[in-house]
Amino acid sequence: MDTYDLLVVGSANADLVIGVDRRPAAGETVLGSDLAVHPGGKGANQAVAAARLGARTALLARVGDDAHGRLLLESLRAAGVGTAGVMTGGAPTGVALITVDPAGDNSIVVSPGANTRLTPGDVTDAGALLAAARVVSLQLEIPPATVAAAVRAARAAGTRVVLNPSPPAPLPAAVLAACDPLVANEHEARFLLRGHAAAAASEPEAWASALLERGPRSVVVTLGAGGALVAGRDGEALRVPSPPVEAVDTTGAGDAFTGALAWRLAAGDGLEEAVRFAVRVGAAAVTRAGAQESFPAAEEVPAP
Ligand code: ADP
């Protein structure tokens, strides 16, 4: 068995994008631009981001036995992601139907498809892959029971867990307790803190310390152009600024950030050092259009 820096357990979707002058109302048909099909899904995005930077990366995911599944496998392989853990069949590949209006506003319908068929049993079957990785990175576009099984297996194997709670959903205590770090943007942080006074605070430091009370070993809050905030159990939260860049398209910035962060942790960096690298990768990703297409190779990451 090869060893990996990073195993991503998560989703793979085909993003189907059509430009429209305006969104159709109920019962209405509008004509749009030519269809563009892009490889996406948070799991595949994170794996591609890390592999493109040079990480030995594998993905545990499920796609359909169809053209979208083949597109995803191709993009993963082209980036150098190990695909032995990408299973095929059981349902159509997950798709995101995206319409974009001239103001750049999106409307999105997601059909999770094969992503919902990634089971706890698949995680058990991939035990060797989990044990061969230094870090496992998770998001929430696969069934919650599968996320929980991957966390349990990672803990049993002594593998570090990085988790991005996106799309936001409640997390069981055992999952939260394993996160090192929990990586949340503002929206995700506020969701996890609903019912807590800190959810209404405007200071990310308040979200980070309230999130730590929920059990994770460490927390990273991403702040868009503001960079990120790092908070561990031992001491002050620290803001890490992002290099100033001209943002063209922020799609996938969080995935690029988290893939880069997980890789640097696997390579032995401390959390602060890994975040200092990840903000540079996130910043590079927003200077180009698209998600995976925008992720930088190591030599394209801006200097600190
Ligand atoms: P998400 O994409 O999950 O909403 P953020 O918007 O917080 O996450 O972005 C993730 C990371 O990408 C940030 O921490 C930052 O490093 C980088 N980033 C995002 N937007 C910008 C921007 N406008 N300028 C520079 N860096 C950015």
Side-chain angles (χ1 to χ4, degrees), residues 185 188 222-225 227-228 242-243 245 247 250 252-254 257 278-280 282-283 286:
N185 66 17
E188 293 146 8
T222 63
L223 302 168
S242 198
V245 292
T250 61
F257 178 98
V279 292
R280 292 159 49 205
V286 303

